[in-house]
Amino acid sequence: GYNEISEEGAKEVVEALNLNNSLTKLDFEGNNLGEQGAVWMFEMLRINTCLTRLDLSFNQMDDQGVLLILESLKLNHSLK
C-alpha cells in the first residue's frame, strides 16, 4: 500500500488483475486511485473470481467512484 501509483498505474494493475487466476489478496491502500481508477476497478471486480480480500482505503475516490465499487460488490461473490 501507499505506493501512490495514480490512475494510470491503477489501469495497469487492473489489466493484470483481469487475467488473474491465482492472486487472492491485494493491498491497494493509499494509491490515489481517483475517479477513473475506480471505474477500472469496478470493471475488474465484476469479472474477477479469485480475489478474496481487497483493501482500497485512502484512495481519494469521489462519491461516484465509491458507488461504483459498491455496485461491483453485488456482482463479485469471491470477496469476503
Side-chain angles (χ1 to χ4, degrees):
Y2 288 100
N3 293 310
E4 297 188 27
I5 65 169
S6 75
E7 290 181 349
E8 191 57 37
K11 179 181 179 185
E12 299 295 324
V13 170
V14 165
E15 287 175 353
L17 288 171
N18 284 335
L19 304 174
N20 171 49
N21 60 8
S22 60
L23 183 70
T24 59
K25 298 176 187 174
L26 178 63
D27 180 353
F28 212 73
E29 177 183 11
N31 283 296
N32 294 325
L33 191 59
E35 183 179 340
Q36 185 58 50
V39 172
W40 291 318
M41 193 64 66
F42 165 78
E43 294 295 331
M44 180 276 297
L45 288 172
R46 288 182 12 186
I47 62 171
N48 184 287
T49 59
C50 294
L51 283 178
T52 58
R53 295 178 189 235
L54 176 63
D55 185 349
L56 293 176
S57 57
F58 305 106
N59 269 293
Q60 300 177 356
M61 287 183 273
D62 62 6
D63 291 345
Q64 186 62 32
V66 172
L67 290 173
L68 277 174
I69 298 299
L70 290 174
E71 186 65 29
S72 70
L73 295 179
K74 293 178 184 177
L75 304 169
N76 182 299
H77 301 288
S78 62
L79 288 172
K80 298 177 183 181

